[in-house]
Amino acid sequence: MPARGQSEEFAPFRPLFENLTSDDENTRLKASLAILSGLKQASPGVVRRVIDRLMAGLTSGRKSARIGFSVTLTELLSSWYEGEIGKGPKSLISFPDLVSMLRSSTQPEGGLGGQERKDHYLGRLFGLKAILDSRMLLQAYRYDHHWTLMLDTIFELASKKSWLREECGWIVTEFIKSCDVHPYTQDLAKAVIDRLCANKMALTPEGVAIWLTVQDLPVEVLLPAQPWQNRDPLDPDNLDQLAGVMRDVPMVEDAVTGKNDAGQSSRGIWSARPNFAWMLVLDRWYREATDTKGFLFFSRFWTRVVDENLFAPTASPERKHLGFMLLASATQAAPRSFLAALFSKNAARCLANHVSSEERYLHSAAMKCLREMQARVERDPDSACDFLKGLTFRGGVANFDELTKTKTLRSILGKLSEEGRQRIVEYWDDHLHYLPLKDDEVSDTQVRALADLAVALLRSHDSHDTSTCTSKALGFLATHAYTSDGEPTDIDFDARSPSNKKYFAGKLSSCFGHLMSVGASTSSRVIWPADVLQHLESAAVGECRSWADDLDRKEIKKVVAGFWKRSPRLRLAASNGDKTRARYLQALEWLYSLLIFEMYNGNEEAIPVLSDVKVICDKALDRDGEDTSAVLTELLLMLVFKPSVLLRKLAQQVFGAFTSELSADSLQLLYDVLASPESLAGQQQIFDQDADMEEMQPEATNGHQSRKRKRVDDEEDDASEEGHEGHDDDDEDETMPDADSESASSDAEDNNASDDSDDNDDETARLNAALASIVGTKPFNPADEKSDNSDSDAASQTSSAMFALDEQLAQVFRERQKHHQQPSKTQRQSQKDARTNMIQFKNRVLDLLEIYLKQEHTNPFVLSSLLPLLELIRTTRTKQLADRASTTLRNLSQRCKGRDNAPRLSSSSSSPSSSSKLSPPITLGEDTLDLLSGIHEEASQKGTSKAHAAGCSQASLLVVKALVYNADTPKKEKKMIKGVAKIYARTQTRWLLDHGGGRTGGGNGGLQPGFFTDFVNWGQSFRQHQ
């Protein structure tokens, strides 16, 4: 019992203890200060009672009692042993007494429930931490047995419950860190390690943390040789043992007790956060291993300790969650050189699997890793390259975006610097054969994913003209598409298999298409296909080969040599010419070099076309050479008809580069396509007129399989398509017939006849068999005509039997007639395919025509397009084509508004192309007035649509503007107005006299009143501006 005086002296502290449990921090702080202030002159007995009461309060789980009491106890012990509070000798309360008081106050009594026992153990933990934080061990007691007593008490508590072990290890670790500059640091560190081993705590995560913390002290501490080899847990020889320790698995387990040799069982509960020991281990690697050797050691550590343990396929979700927490932390804190090592095989696969679906248990943890990675890239763009290296090669998930349905890799690509772009492409190129996969199918997927990433890398770049990265990305794709280093050795698989080569070639074509579009909008002077060809020609990438084995390699080399002979001349001429000529010559070089890639792709048809391009380039370099626009236009038409998007873009770019050079013959080739029927006959009409372009024949059926000229199928539709190789050539048609074309046509007719004959023979045989089965005789055989058939049973049949037989025979002949009246399935499909092909072809021709009309709307040749467009609107059965043609006319009319934008007509009566089927109206005279009359005749056609009527009105007014606005004298202007008014008057008179008007009536039923109203409105506007 305390003395009465002590009780009275202790009474003022009782209400303050209640305030220490408050959840309000200020209330707890005031109560703590009041207790410390009241103890300044207190006797040792009162101080002892207060200390004992504070220790007992640590076991309370009420409100914030444990925090309030532990803070007050820490400050009280620190002030007491510094002599700031209390009176009398401090030896009255010894250090062993304090430990004994703490053990007594926090010892759980018998019969307590689980929660009460937990509160008592936590109270002891907080009391031990208060003693350590008060630093009384460093201030008052300097005896080894004090250190031993304190550490043994802590390690004893750690061994009672596994969930207490981490907390006990943490308070010891923090205390060691606080002693780094104390005179007794070396003695304390030695005592810690000795007691750690004595209490068999060294082979635990907490023991590793304490060991590493002692190693980090500025003083040298003699560490024991066991249990870690070379006295270092992170030594490469200790990786296997460290993996088990950090995974918290007993290293040597006793069959009876379930205890390991350290006396510690594995942790029994799961925590959502990693053990603090992981952070210390990783931090040690970050600080010490910064060179190449350090990266290799860290890579081995991460693979063995993290990847093969926490991310193993058989690992539990809890362990995988721990792995994700470590991965998220490392992506933020690891040095840049270590980032690639983080995405080891199991880690990358596990990350991709759990990001891919929200239904996965660890989806949130995996997404946190992605967010941390993207945050690191935002903060440190140079780290993007290392993340890409890790995911694409070390982790083997180059198709990460496809697996996860995210844009993670592509977003990282966008953050790369120019140097980083070059480094990642070089890394891909150097390591492509060494993906850590054994399954060829999976490996092919990874290889192709790299091709996709190379395309994404190129597309994410803003400026290409001065970019070395663009050149390297294209070179990477081309090298693995067209070169071969021979048979692979010491690698998992052949990355340059034929299927992979074709995939890389397709991606290279996609890049060319993108660069072509970008170059057209930025006036780029870089010819990227030529740049890639130069890369392929270098000896460093091996021999460049075509996919087609039957292509003559000497011929290929000859073609390439011809390109390199002309390429410098084309570039020199482009640099010395005006902007229009430079654009034309650059387009020719694009065409020339891209067709060489078509040849490399195994397209035999490209070689003769390259010969034509060679001639065109030679003529283009010779300013006084003959006009080749018609030949080039014909070639471009063949390219736009092919299914390749790249060739279609190329044709449009080349066409747009020489629109100013187009002649009447060139435009007529476009108009011929628009005028052709959308049927098999129309397809034959377009492609049967010239056999000179056989080698570039496009596919005529579904657009998916190319046919060669020498191939003749047995089906009727294929025989009719044999003439598709040619193009219109007006000069040749008007001079002399094409013998090759006639021969091809004759052969096709013979084949058709032969097919028909075979079909008739088969049908006759079937008919004979059917008749024989009805009559009851054997089928007719011409060889048996000479035999005696007089013993037939037919003559002996009765009248009723004859009538029944007659009905059966009639049924056979009706079926035969029905069969002949219905087209075969092959014929119907052939007609359908031909119609689809013609519609697509006309759409692509309209693309070219729109380019011409947009760039050359003041050229008088634009007027020649009016009638073909109007006829297309009227005759086509495809509404989409009619709408496109109407839009093209409307856009042309809008561009030609005003006197300055109207087509410029010359007063001369000469025509630039007298040999053309069409003589475009380019003069200010009767030929243009005749065109106006032709438009009025077109407007008068029966059964036309509103779009056709509107187009006729727009076309008519466009011709009127060209006639009137180009008159350079009042006399000529008056003459043109009279001529225009006369034509309108004649048309209106015919319209008025046509009493059977209307869309279904005769005469001029297609004309609408708006046709004349538009002219009157224009006339009113013209008068106001005079």
Side-chain angles (χ1 to χ4, degrees):
M1 290 290 294
R4 181 179 182 85
Q6 291 184 3
S7 299
E8 294 177 354
E9 191 177 359
F10 182 76
F13 296 102
R14 289 191 176 93
L16 299 177
F17 294 137
E18 179 65 24
N19 291 340
L20 289 178
T21 66
S22 174
D23 290 330
D24 182 61
E25 183 179 2
N26 292 329
T27 302
R28 295 198 307 269
L29 181 59
K30 290 179 180 180
S32 179
L33 293 175
I35 292 174
L36 295 176
S37 177
L39 290 174
K40 285 185 177 181
Q41 298 299 323
S43 64
V46 173
V47 173
R48 185 184 185 96
R49 287 192 62 184
V50 171
I51 292 176
D52 189 62
R53 178 64 182 89
L54 291 174
M55 289 181 176
L58 294 174
T59 63
S60 173
R62 187 164 59 99
K63 297 182 181 180
S64 299
R66 195 168 287 123
I67 297 176
F69 282 96
S70 64
V71 171
T72 305
L73 179 61
T74 300
E75 294 299 324
L76 189 153
L77 293 177
S78 177
S79 300
W80 171 258
Y81 287 98
E82 288 178 358
E84 296 180 0
I85 62 175
K87 57 184 179 179
K90 305 299 182 293
S91 60
L92 293 178
I93 306 177
S94 65
F95 184 80
D97 289 341
L98 282 175
V99 175
S100 177
M101 291 170 59
L102 178 63
R103 295 172 65 94
S104 176
S105 299
T106 58
Q107 179 65 35
E109 302 291 341
L112 291 179
Q115 182 61 44
E116 287 82 357
R117 296 179 68 86
K118 180 179 180 181
D119 288 337
H120 280 70
Y121 287 137
L122 287 175
R124 183 175 298 182
L125 175 67
F126 273 77
L128 292 171
K129 185 177 184 301
I131 295 174
L132 291 177
D133 290 345
S134 68
R135 302 180 68 83
M136 58 184 302
L137 279 173
L138 301 177
Q139 295 172 357
Y141 299 96
R142 303 173 184 177
Y143 305 103
D144 292 342
H145 66 275
H146 293 164
W147 304 99
T148 302
L149 176 62
M150 187 65 184
L151 292 172
D152 286 344
T153 304
I154 295 175
F155 291 142
E156 178 190 1
L157 179 62
S159 64
K160 289 184 178 295
K161 296 293 180 180
S162 58
W163 51 268
L164 286 171
R165 196 178 65 211
E166 180 180 353
E167 302 299 330
C168 292
W170 179 74
I171 63 174
V172 173
T173 301
E174 292 299 309
F175 180 68
I176 295 173
K177 290 180 180 179
S178 68
C179 300
D180 56 351
V181 293
H182 196 275
Y184 300 99
T185 297
Q186 189 173 21
D187 296 337
L188 174 61
K190 183 67 171 60
V192 169
I193 295 298
D194 290 343
R195 302 322 299 165
L196 183 70
C197 296
N199 286 276
K200 299 182 179 181
M201 288 280 293
L203 294 180
T204 62
E206 296 75 22
V208 173
I210 294 172
W211 197 290
L212 294 179
T213 304
V214 170
Q215 285 184 325
D216 289 339
L217 290 174
V219 296
E220 183 177 354
V221 180
L222 180 60
L223 299 171
Q226 294 296 330
W228 300 107
Q229 297 184 41
N230 300 321
R231 296 180 171 86
D232 186 2
L234 301 187
D235 189 271
D237 294 335
N238 293 321
L239 286 182
D240 290 338
Q241 181 170 279
L242 181 63
V245 170
M246 296 306 295
R247 200 174 64 172
D248 208 2
V249 174
M251 301 306 298
V252 178
E253 188 174 272
D254 184 83
V256 177
T257 64
K259 301 282 186 175
N260 60 10
D261 63 345
Q264 299 295 329
S265 60
S266 62
R267 188 167 180 172
I269 61 172
W270 173 77
S271 175
R273 58 177 178 80
N275 191 303
F276 78 98
W278 280 104
M279 302 299 105
L280 292 177
V281 171
L282 293 176
D283 184 65
R284 167 68 71 84
W285 281 110
Y286 301 159
R287 286 186 285 110
E288 293 188 359
T290 57
D291 54 4
T292 304
K293 183 178 179 181
F295 170 80
L296 295 177
F297 285 163
F298 177 79
S299 179
R300 290 176 56 190
F301 159 77
W302 184 269
T303 301
R304 183 66 186 90
V305 178
V306 179
D307 187 76
E308 296 177 0
N309 281 278
L310 303 182
F311 288 114
T314 57
S316 65
E318 291 79 9
R319 296 204 181 279
K320 290 181 179 179
H321 183 273
L322 172 60
F324 283 136
M325 294 298 100
L326 295 177
L327 181 60
S329 172
T331 55
Q332 281 293 308
R336 191 183 305 156
S337 58
F338 284 5
L339 295 178
L342 299 178
F343 297 94
S344 44
K345 183 178 178 180
N346 291 332
R349 286 288 176 185
C350 191
L351 178 65
N353 290 338
H354 287 276
V355 169
S356 62
S357 175
E358 294 183 358
E359 297 180 357
R360 294 270 188 169
Y361 289 137
L362 303 178
H363 176 75
S364 298
M367 290 301 299
K368 181 180 179 181
C369 295
L370 292 190
R371 289 192 296 270
E372 296 291 347
M373 181 170 58
Q374 291 169 347
R376 174 69 180 269
V377 172
E378 290 287 344
R379 186 178 73 252
D380 180 16
D382 291 337
S383 64
C385 185
D386 298 281
F387 281 124
L388 289 171
K389 289 179 181 179
L391 285 171
T392 54
F393 275 96
R394 180 172 170 80
V397 285
N399 59 336
F400 187 85
D401 287 357
E402 288 72 22
L403 292 174
T404 61
K405 300 179 180 61
T406 63
K407 295 183 179 180
T408 303
L409 295 183
R410 283 161 176 76
S411 65
I412 295 176
L413 286 173
K415 302 297 183 181
L416 285 171
S417 62
E418 178 67 19
E419 181 183 358
R421 293 169 184 270
Q422 297 179 37
R423 285 197 294 121
I424 192 61
V425 175
E426 292 172 354
Y427 185 85
W428 289 342
D429 197 20
D430 293 339
H431 294 75
L432 185 58
H433 284 302
Y434 302 97
L435 288 173
L437 300 168
K438 297 295 183 181
D439 186 352
D440 287 349
E441 182 178 353
V442 177
S443 299
D444 286 342
T445 301
Q446 300 301 315
V447 171
R448 296 175 185 182
L450 289 179
D452 294 335
L453 290 177
V455 176
L457 177 67
L458 185 142
R459 290 178 177 270
S460 66
H461 203 37
D462 296 331
S463 176
H464 296 283
D465 284 2
T466 59
S467 173
T468 307
C469 167
T470 302
S471 180
K472 285 187 175 293
L474 294 175
F476 167 71
L477 294 172
T479 299
H480 293 279
Y482 301 111
T483 64
S484 176
D485 293 332
E487 294 298 326
T489 58
D490 299 328
I491 59 176
D492 293 339
F493 70 103
D494 184 6
R496 300 185 188 180
S497 62
S499 60
N500 288 337
K501 283 187 174 184
K502 291 182 179 180
Y503 194 84
F504 272 80
K507 293 303 176 181
L508 180 64
S509 297
S510 174
C511 291
F512 283 150
H514 172 73
L515 293 171
M516 193 184 304
S517 302
V518 172
S521 61
T522 60
S523 301
S524 172
R525 290 182 174 270
V526 181
I527 312 300
W528 288 111
D531 184 78
V532 176
L533 281 176
Q534 187 175 10
H535 171 78
L536 291 176
E537 288 295 308
S538 65
V541 297
E543 183 179 2
C544 187
R545 298 179 180 178
S546 171
W547 297 344
D549 296 333
D550 53 347
L551 284 181
D552 188 357
R553 297 174 69 177
K554 292 183 178 180
E555 183 67 21
I556 293 176
K557 291 182 178 180
K558 181 180 178 181
V559 170
V560 176
F563 169 76
W564 289 120
K565 179 180 178 181
R566 290 164 180 80
S567 177
R569 297 173 58 196
L570 289 171
R571 298 191 181 191
L572 179 61
S575 62
N576 295 333
D578 56 20
K579 184 177 181 180
T580 302
R581 177 170 171 78
R583 185 184 175 199
Y584 174 50
L585 295 177
Q586 289 172 10
L588 285 181
E589 190 173 0
W590 265 93
L591 176 63
Y592 205 157
S593 54
L594 272 181
L595 286 175
I596 291 179
F597 280 103
E598 284 294 303
M599 177 185 66
Y600 281 147
N601 291 344
N603 188 355
E604 298 179 6
E605 303 165 350
I607 294 181
V609 177
L610 282 165
S611 299
D612 293 338
V613 174
K614 179 178 67 174
V615 173
I616 293 172
C617 290
D618 291 339
K619 298 296 182 182
L621 291 171
D622 183 8
R623 289 181 175 270
D624 298 329
E626 63 181 87
D627 178 32
T628 59
S629 62
V631 178
L632 183 55
T633 303
E634 190 173 10
L635 188 149
L636 296 181
L637 284 174
M638 299 309 298
L639 294 182
V640 298
F641 189 58
K642 294 182 75 67
S644 171
V645 176
L646 175 62
L647 292 180
R648 186 160 66 249
K649 285 184 177 181
L650 173 64
Q652 292 175 2
Q653 177 169 329
V654 176
F655 186 83
F658 81 111
T659 53
S660 61
E661 306 294 331
L662 285 175
S663 64
D665 293 332
S666 304
L667 292 172
Q668 183 61 41
L669 294 173
L670 306 182
Y671 304 152
D672 287 344
V673 176
L674 298 181
S676 302
E678 297 155 16
S679 62
L680 184 60
Q683 186 172 264
Q684 293 171 343
Q685 176 184 340
I686 290 295
F687 295 105
D688 283 354
Q689 295 181 12
D690 184 12
D692 292 338
M693 297 297 291
E694 286 180 348
E695 293 79 1
M696 284 297 292
Q697 174 189 355
E699 57 191 287
T701 53
N702 287 327
H704 298 292
Q705 299 176 352
S706 61
R707 297 187 298 110
K708 298 182 180 179
R709 180 72 177 98
K710 61 184 179 182
R711 174 182 171 189
V712 180
D713 292 337
D714 293 334
E715 297 176 347
E716 178 181 353
D717 59 323
D718 291 335
S720 65
E721 292 169 357
E722 277 299 308
H724 288 187
E725 287 88 5
H727 280 290
D728 291 343
D729 192 328
D730 298 334
D731 294 337
E732 293 183 4
D733 290 341
E734 291 183 1
T735 55
M736 59 183 299
D738 191 335
D740 293 339
S741 180
E742 289 182 357
S743 176
S745 177
S746 176
D747 291 343
E749 291 176 1
D750 291 343
N751 288 331
N752 283 336
S754 176
D755 292 343
D756 292 341
S757 177
D758 293 341
D759 292 342
N760 289 336
D761 290 343
D762 294 340
E763 197 171 327
T764 302
R766 289 193 297 269
L767 175 63
N768 288 336
L771 293 176
S773 65
I774 294 173
V775 178
T777 62
K778 64 181 181 180
F780 172 74
N781 188 348
D784 299 336
E785 285 185 341
K786 296 181 181 181
S787 64
D788 187 8
N789 296 327
S790 60
D791 54 348
S792 175
D793 295 335
S796 63
Q797 293 180 351
T798 63
S799 298
S800 59
M802 291 295 290
F803 280 120
L805 180 62
D806 182 66
E807 179 61 27
Q808 294 178 10
L809 292 174
Q811 180 64 26
V812 170
F813 285 107
R814 281 196 296 269
E815 291 293 334
R816 184 170 184 268
Q817 182 180 9
K818 181 179 179 181
H819 174 75
H820 277 285
Q821 289 177 348
Q822 294 181 350
S824 66
K825 182 178 180 180
T826 302
Q827 291 173 334
R828 291 194 301 270
Q829 185 63 39
S830 180
Q831 291 284 352
K832 181 179 178 181
D833 293 338
R835 172 177 167 78
T836 301
N837 289 337
M838 288 303 298
I839 291 174
Q840 292 178 350
F841 195 19
K842 288 188 177 183
N843 271 297
R844 293 168 186 175
V845 170
L846 284 175
D847 291 335
L848 298 180
L849 190 57
E850 287 175 350
I851 293 173
Y852 177 77
L853 297 179
K854 181 179 180 179
Q855 297 182 186
E856 303 291 332
H857 63 273
T858 59
N859 192 315
F861 280 157
V862 300
L863 298 180
S864 66
S865 66
L866 299 178
L867 277 176
L869 287 172
L870 292 173
E871 291 172 357
L872 176 63
I873 297 173
R874 174 173 56 85
T875 59
T876 184
R877 293 180 298 168
T878 305
K879 184 177 183 300
Q880 183 266 339
L881 279 177
D883 292 342
R884 280 208 64 184
S886 300
T887 302
T888 302
L889 268 177
R890 182 167 60 252
N891 293 339
L892 176 62
S893 178
Q894 292 176 351
R895 293 190 190 100
C896 294
K897 284 184 177 181
R899 186 180 295 271
D900 296 335
N901 295 319
R904 306 190 187 284
L905 302 182
S906 173
S907 299
S908 173
S909 60
S910 63
S911 177
S913 180
S914 60
S915 63
S916 175
K917 290 181 180 179
L918 175 70
S919 296
I922 61 171
T923 62
L924 200 65
E926 293 299 328
D927 48 3
T928 311
L929 291 173
D930 291 342
L931 173 63
L932 183 61
S933 298
I935 293 174
H936 282 230
E937 289 296 330
E938 178 67 25
S940 301
Q941 296 291 328
K942 295 182 294 182
T944 57
S945 63
K946 292 182 179 180
H948 180 265
C952 288
S953 178
Q954 293 166 356
S956 179
L957 289 178
L958 181 58
V959 176
V960 170
K961 295 174 184 177
L963 286 168
V964 176
Y965 292 159
N966 283 281
D968 52 0
T969 64
K971 182 178 180 180
K972 288 183 181 180
E973 182 180 281
K974 183 177 181 180
K975 179 181 178 181
M976 292 298 103
I977 292 176
K978 285 183 179 181
V980 168
K982 182 178 179 181
I983 295 174
Y984 266 95
R986 184 170 63 246
T987 303
Q988 189 171 23
T989 300
R990 293 171 58 192
W991 176 66
L992 290 171
L993 294 177
D994 181 15
H995 299 294
R999 294 196 178 277
T1000 60
N1004 301 317
L1007 277 172
Q1008 298 294 322
F1011 184 83
F1012 306 105
T1013 303
D1014 292 341
F1015 175 68
V1016 173
N1017 291 337
W1018 174 83
Q1020 178 66 23
S1021 176
F1022 176 76
R1023 286 173 52 119
Q1024 291 177 353
H1025 290 85
Q1026 287 296 324

